[in-house]
Amino acid sequence: MSAPNPDHQPLVEGPRDPEHDPAATYALDPGYVARLTARVLATTGEAKEVLSPLDGAPLAHIPQSSDADVEEAFARARVAQEKWARTPVKDRERVLLRLHDLVLARQEEILDLIVLETGKARKHAFDEPLHIALTARYYGRTTAKHLRSERRPGVFPALTRIDVNHVPKGVVGIISPWNYPFTLGLCDGLAAIAAGNAVVAKPDSQTMLTALLGAELLEEAGLPRDLWMVVAGPGSKVGTSIIDRADYICFTGSTATGKIIGKQCAERLIGSSLELGGKNAMLVLADADIEKAAEGATRAVFSNTGQLCVSIERMYVADAIYDRFVERFVARTQAMTLGATLSWENDMGSLISQDQLDNAVAHVDDAVAQGATVLTGGKARPDLSPYFFEPTILEGVTPAMTCFGTETFGPVVSIYRVTSDEEAVDRANEGEYGLNASIYSRDTARARRLAARVKAGTVNINEAFAATFASLDAPMGGFRESGTGRRQGAEGLLRYTETQSVATQRLVRMSPMFGMSDEAYAKLMTSSLRALKAVGRA
């Protein structure tokens, strides 16, 4: 293979069926890779090799950016943003709606790249183009409404007019992770450009190709190329360079890194939104439908091999149904189809790297050494792929064990017996995280009352995480050490704007007139304030 095909599909060598020859490898068309990597602004001459977690074979060499490249990216983005900010909102919305159609039309290509770069099951990769299509359509239909100037009451009725405008911040720096490279590489930036900003993006080095395909699709949808600049390199170098120049930062990743970024942004007095780690809890109440809860738990824990910020790592199950629920949950887990291929048949795929595998192994080994019981799983599966780890359910986990309160970010869950709803909520609120939670109960009104007491930014009832994540008008983000700021909804767009108040004063000025003394003016204002209170004025 030497050149990309005219339909822009990645030409993949290697088997797609689950029973493939372990000795075979996947390979992307070199011309296709060259076209994508040419979008990286990089002049260092250095490149980083990317390996596929499916088979450990090389996928691409990603050019690396310098500080000067980042500076140029911002310079070009600022020029493009000045024009874009004057572009009618309806024209911006049309770009997003065209992106919606492109993503759906080219989803097989997108899925191939996601699976090749992350190792996740294809069924879980599908969540990404689905979410981006939803996001593009949502902001393609609602941006004008969100950005419309608002009328607010002035200090004097009829005499003072107040208009509140939403002004774009300028150039937004987006530092996105590897676990959802298409979704998180694009979704936050779509809101930024809808609001009239430009973007300088630094995707994670392990999943650059998927993010670069997203940038290509944006340009095909009609976005000016310099409005979405892509740089590549280590976060400690390129990420810091972005923070030094951006007007706002959006970061998704670990709490430890988020704290560092938050401090750097504070030093420059720029805003940031930080979607960070979680140790998310599921509550299975005594009246839950056991079969539905077991099905939901399987998705909640093992989607994307547990490498999902909102995945469930702790389960609190009512004593009355504990044994029956555990039996069904273990059975469903053991029935999963495991594999690291491009096939749709896999229920769970591979971890992305040796680091992720080592972390999962360490958490499980530590728990077992201290007395925890493995109900199923618990082992690496090098026969499936270099970084594959079995879906694992632990019982008897105690606070002394690493996985009790530390995020595993892998296919590992701890399950606990509780005797009341109060105990379930109290235990779910333990720790410093607060990103997502799930409650299973037939009494949804009761579940909603309990949800209001759970310290988490999103709570799903009779669902794992997808209901909130896919409801684009609903904001999403974390409490406590799970982050600050919100993506999605009006909040997800308005974070990229400055709020500007414009006052128009009529007839009278805000000072003494017609020879009135300051003392008389003060008395008049005092009388006015009393009168406005008497008539119910806010």
Side-chain angles (χ1 to χ4, degrees):
M1 298 184 299
S2 59
N5 64 1
D7 295 327
H8 302 299
Q9 302 300 311
L11 302 177
V12 181
E13 284 185 337
R16 292 171 178 266
D17 62 278
E19 303 299 327
H20 73 278
D21 176 2
T25 60
Y26 295 99
L28 284 171
D29 173 79
Y32 180 83
V33 172
R35 191 182 80 236
L36 292 181
T37 55
R39 306 190 72 87
V40 180
L41 188 56
T43 60
T44 63
E46 301 173 4
K48 178 178 174 61
E49 185 177 57
V50 176
L51 306 178
S52 174
L54 295 186
D55 51 23
L59 275 181
H61 290 80
I62 306 298
Q64 300 294 284
S65 304
S66 65
D67 186 70
D69 294 322
V70 177
E71 184 174 7
E72 182 183 349
F74 273 90
R76 288 166 57 177
R78 290 199 184 282
V79 172
Q81 190 272 331
E82 289 181 7
K83 182 178 180 180
W84 182 249
R86 297 191 297 270
T87 300
V89 174
K90 288 298 181 184
D91 290 347
R92 299 182 214 158
E93 288 181 329
R94 277 192 282 270
V95 170
L96 294 176
L97 292 176
R98 286 195 292 270
L99 177 67
H100 170 277
D101 296 343
L102 280 169
V103 167
L104 294 181
R106 292 174 60 180
Q107 62 180 283
E108 293 300 324
E109 173 186 359
I110 297 166
L111 296 180
D112 277 354
L113 277 188
I114 293 172
V115 176
L116 286 168
E117 286 198 305
T118 67
K120 68 175 67 175
R122 195 176 191 86
K123 64 192 294 183
H124 299 147
F126 175 70
D127 293 345
E128 301 202 49
L130 173 64
H131 185 258
I132 290 304
L134 287 168
T135 303
R137 190 185 70 204
Y138 174 78
Y139 287 119
R141 299 292 190 201
T142 64
T143 294
K145 178 184 72 174
H146 294 322
L147 293 180
R148 187 177 298 124
S149 293
E150 305 167 48
R151 289 287 297 274
R152 302 278 182 90
V155 61
F156 291 121
L159 301 179
T160 308
R161 168 177 169 160
I162 293 292
D163 296 279
V164 177
N165 301 326
H166 302 289
V167 181
K169 286 185 176 288
V171 181
V172 173
I174 295 183
I175 303 172
S176 59
W178 49 260
N179 60 325
Y180 278 78
F182 195 70
T183 285
L184 298 176
L186 287 182
C187 71
D188 294 305
L190 296 186
I193 62 173
N197 300 280
V199 166
V200 174
K202 193 204 84 65
D204 189 90
S205 60
Q206 298 172 95
T207 52
M208 285 291 299
L209 294 178
T210 303
L212 289 167
L213 175 58
E216 180 179 271
L217 293 174
L218 275 167
E219 186 176 351
E220 289 187 27
L223 192 73
R225 182 162 187 163
D226 285 356
L227 207 68
W228 189 287
M229 304 296 297
V230 182
V231 293
S236 58
K237 178 181 176 182
V238 176
T240 298
S241 188
I242 289 173
I243 295 168
D244 288 342
R245 294 171 171 85
D247 300 306
Y248 188 90
I249 290 292
C250 177
F251 168 78
T252 304
S254 71
T255 295
T257 302
K259 288 180 177 180
I260 295 170
I261 290 174
K263 290 177 182 178
Q264 293 173 328
C265 291
E267 289 175 357
R268 291 196 56 229
L269 295 178
I270 63 170
S272 62
S273 57
L274 310 168
E275 200 245 76
L276 308 177
K279 191 72 178 176
N280 307 301
M282 174 182 283
L283 287 62
V284 184
L285 308 186
D287 67 339
D289 182 312
I290 292 176
E291 199 60 38
K292 288 182 179 178
E295 184 278 331
T298 306
R299 287 187 291 111
V301 176
F302 304 122
S303 287
N304 197 23
T305 321
Q307 299 168 123
L308 170 60
C309 297
V310 292
S311 67
I312 298 298
E313 295 196 8
R314 301 179 289 151
M315 301 183 68
Y316 301 103
V317 183
D319 179 67
I321 63 168
Y322 182 88
D323 293 331
R324 287 179 291 155
F325 172 80
V326 169
E327 179 185 2
R328 293 305 304 139
F329 180 36
V330 170
R332 279 186 168 272
T333 301
Q334 292 174 338
M336 291 170 60
T337 299
L338 309 181
T341 70
L342 291 171
S343 168
W344 282 99
E345 282 72 23
N346 300 324
D347 292 318
M348 195 187 86
S350 172
L351 293 165
I352 193 172
S353 66
Q354 187 66 48
D355 286 345
Q356 293 303 117
L357 175 62
D358 291 344
N359 191 63
V361 169
H363 279 208
V364 173
D365 287 353
D366 170 75
V368 171
Q370 297 191 66
T373 301
V374 177
L375 300 182
T376 189
K379 300 188 297 294
R381 291 289 302 276
D383 56 310
L384 296 176
S385 80
Y387 315 127
F388 210 102
F389 193 79
E390 292 178 329
T392 301
I393 303 172
L394 298 176
E395 191 177 50
V397 171
T398 68
M401 302 171 189
T402 304
C403 68
F404 180 84
T406 302
E407 185 177 28
T408 303
F409 217 62
V412 179
V413 67
S414 304
I415 190 164
Y416 307 88
R417 188 188 301 263
V418 293
T419 58
S420 67
D421 294 352
E422 294 294 324
E423 182 186 0
V425 171
D426 289 345
R427 296 193 67 180
N429 287 338
E430 290 176 347
E432 298 303 320
Y433 291 118
L435 189 57
N436 179 54
S438 175
I439 301 175
Y440 274 80
S441 170
R442 286 186 170 93
D443 186 344
T444 55
R446 170 166 152 256
R448 284 193 294 272
R449 290 192 297 271
L450 289 176
R453 295 167 48 199
V454 174
K455 296 177 181 178
T458 56
V459 182
N460 293 267
I461 295 170
N462 295 330
E463 175 50 48
F465 57 83
T468 51
F469 199 74
S471 298
L472 268 294
D473 203 42
M476 178 198 169
F479 291 4
R480 303 188 290 183
E481 290 203 356
S482 287
T484 62
R486 294 293 183 269
R487 65 165 52 99
Q488 304 190 167
E491 294 89 342
L493 184 140
L494 295 178
R495 62 180 162 163
Y496 297 124
T497 65
E498 300 285 5
T499 302
Q500 178 193 60
S501 297
V502 178
T504 304
Q505 189 65 23
R506 301 186 180 95
L507 300 178
V508 299
R509 67 191 185 210
M510 303 293 290
S511 63
M513 295 177 61
F514 311 117
M516 183 182 294
S517 68
D518 288 332
E519 183 179 6
Y521 176 72
K523 290 179 179 179
L524 175 63
M525 291 295 291
T526 299
S527 299
S528 299
L529 292 177
R530 287 175 174 150
L532 290 170
K533 178 178 181 292
V535 299
R537 178 80 172 186

